[in-house]
């Protein structure tokens, strides 16, 4: 059993991103509807946020709903949206007490009006908080994010605001939904699937990947600690040789 105390506080990831997967299978295992899994998934979100607060991890980004998830049965999408509104209402106080800033990435204006309203309200109410930044990826798809950035840059080129030679990585980054986030250090995916599913493709260029065979509703502090311990035991070379780093 490891605890938060086992972690090296000087080597914590600055930005942890999580693909919260496996709610449906978790519910199915219990003979329940998928919705039951999503409800319990919301509890895991709260636990994880609390653990990251204790660790003082500055950025936590959670994949909550992808552009592709719109293709799920209407009933599931509707319930997920309802759950989101409930969770946002319920969590506002917790966010304020813990000094957490809520942000969102994705095509959020495609969310139902109620969700959009609640989301933007919580974002603006927590805007001035100075602790951790929790970012929800909602109606988020990395390819869509990049496509939108390319369109915005193309318009600027057309209007002579920027010249093609000056388009560098920083310019591209500035036009992404996630422009306010640093690169991902540690990407965790639950449920045993080993894929990225269109999440933060640009931002994970040098992230350490960690796949865990636990369904999201069961994910707890112990699992998070194990993921960070694994991260801390890796050598991030960024293209250099091991000797160059020492
Ligand atoms: C993750 O769990 C939550 C969302 C994608 C919204 P799933 O709903 O994908 O659960 P599984 O992967 O089908 O078990
Ligand atoms: C990824 O999970 C999206 C979220 C966790 C929100 P999915 O369950 O949608 O991913 P695939 O379809 O199995 O790749
Ligand atoms: Mg899934």
């Amino acid at each position: 059993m490891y605890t938060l105390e086992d972690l090296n506080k000087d080597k914590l990831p600055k930005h942890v991103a999580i693909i919260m997967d496996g709610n449906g299978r978790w519910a199915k295992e219990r003979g329940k509807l998928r919705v039951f899994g999503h409800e319990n998934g919301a509890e895991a979100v709260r636990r994880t946020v609390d653990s990251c607060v204790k660790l003082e991890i500055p950025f936590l980004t959670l994949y909550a709903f992808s552009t592709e998830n719109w293709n799920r049965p209407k009933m599931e999408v509707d319930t997920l949206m309802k759950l989101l509104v409930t969770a946002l209402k319920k969590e506002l106080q917790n966010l304020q007490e813990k000094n957490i800033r809520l942000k969102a990435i994705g095509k959020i204006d495609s969310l139902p009006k109620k969700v959009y309203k609640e989301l933007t309200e919580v974002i603006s109410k927590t805007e001035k908080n100075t602790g951790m930044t929790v970012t929800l990826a909602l109606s988020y798809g990395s390819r869509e994010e990049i496509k939108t950035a390319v369109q915005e840059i193309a318009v600027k080129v057309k209007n002579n605001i920027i010249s093609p030679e000056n388009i560098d990585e920083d310019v591209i980054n500035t036009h992404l939904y996630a422009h306010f986030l640093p690169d991902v250090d540690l990407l965790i995916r639950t449920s045993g699937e080993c894929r990225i599913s269109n999440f933060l493709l640009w931002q994970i260029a040098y992230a350490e990947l960690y796949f865990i065979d636990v369904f999201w509703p069961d994910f707890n502090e112990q699992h998070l600690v194990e993921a960070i311990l694994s991260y801390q035991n890796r050598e991030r070379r960024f293209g250099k040789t091991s000797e160059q780093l020492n």
Side-chain angles (χ1 to χ4, degrees):
M1 273 283 277
Y2 295 106
T3 67
L4 297 181
E5 309 306 315
D6 293 306
L7 296 171
N8 177 353
K9 297 285 169 341
D10 299 323
K11 236 181 119 180
L12 289 169
K14 194 172 161 202
H15 184 183
V16 175
I18 308 183
I19 302 174
M20 312 184 289
D21 196 21
N23 293 352
R25 280 165 283 167
W26 184 89
K28 197 173 174 190
E29 254 184 14
R30 287 159 178 78
K32 305 267 190 183
L33 296 175
R34 297 178 58 85
V35 177
F36 184 64
H38 296 315
E39 282 165 4
N40 282 272
E43 295 298 314
V45 170
R46 172 182 260 249
R47 279 201 301 274
T48 306
V49 168
D50 287 351
S51 303
C52 288
V53 167
K54 282 193 256 169
L55 280 169
E56 296 180 41
I57 288 177
F59 296 95
L60 173 68
T61 302
L62 302 168
Y63 204 4
F65 193 84
S66 72
T67 45
E68 290 75 21
N69 288 150
W70 288 115
N71 299 320
R72 291 194 177 188
K74 187 176 181 308
M75 198 196 87
E76 180 166 349
V77 173
D78 289 350
T79 318
L80 274 167
M81 294 300 148
K82 267 193 209 130
L83 271 175
L84 203 58
V85 175
T86 315
L88 285 165
K89 280 195 207 290
K90 198 171 140 197
E91 293 306 318
L92 177 62
Q93 198 186 338
N94 189 37
L95 294 172
Q96 299 293 36
E97 279 168 13
K98 300 204 168 113
N99 195 21
I100 299 169
R101 191 165 68 121
L102 189 82
K103 299 282 272 178
I105 52 173
K107 199 171 178 324
I108 61 162
D109 55 11
S110 68
L111 294 165
K113 268 203 194 71
K114 255 192 168 165
V115 181
Y116 181 83
K117 187 177 156 277
E118 202 60 44
L119 179 68
T120 47
E121 221 169 278
V122 178
I123 290 173
S124 72
K125 281 182 179 157
T126 60
E127 198 175 31
K128 301 223 160 61
N129 290 349
T130 53
M132 179 168 66
T133 299
V134 173
T135 304
L136 297 179
L138 284 169
S139 191
Y140 176 88
S142 210
R143 289 186 170 181
E144 202 270 334
E145 176 182 44
I146 293 169
K147 181 210 75 180
T148 306
V150 171
Q151 283 175 333
E152 285 176 14
I153 295 169
V155 170
K156 289 187 184 173
V157 169
K158 191 174 148 203
N159 296 331
N160 293 316
I161 296 167
I162 185 170
S163 64
E165 313 81 74
N166 291 334
I167 300 172
D168 57 14
E169 292 183 11
D170 282 340
V171 169
I172 295 172
N173 199 50
T174 314
H175 290 84
L176 298 174
Y177 295 133
H179 61 89
F180 57 91
L181 292 171
D183 280 352
V184 176
D185 296 305
L186 171 62
L187 174 72
I188 300 171
R189 182 174 188 144
T190 59
S191 93
E193 307 296 355
C194 300
R195 55 176 172 261
I196 304 299
S197 303
N198 203 11
F199 190 43
L200 300 175
L201 298 179
W202 175 272
Q203 299 84 353
I204 60 167
Y206 261 105
E208 295 298 329
L209 310 182
Y210 185 85
F211 299 100
I212 173 172
D213 202 358
V214 159
F215 293 137
W216 176 249
D218 285 332
F219 189 80
N220 60 30
E221 189 164 278
Q222 177 70 22
H223 299 125
L224 179 70
V225 169
E226 281 168 20
I228 299 176
L229 272 175
S230 164
Y231 168 86
Q232 293 188 332
N233 285 320
R234 301 181 193 184
E235 184 177 61
R236 301 184 78 194
R237 290 190 288 278
F238 296 97
K240 295 183 180 171
T241 67
S242 198
E243 290 70 27
Q244 281 178 298
L245 299 173
N246 295 315

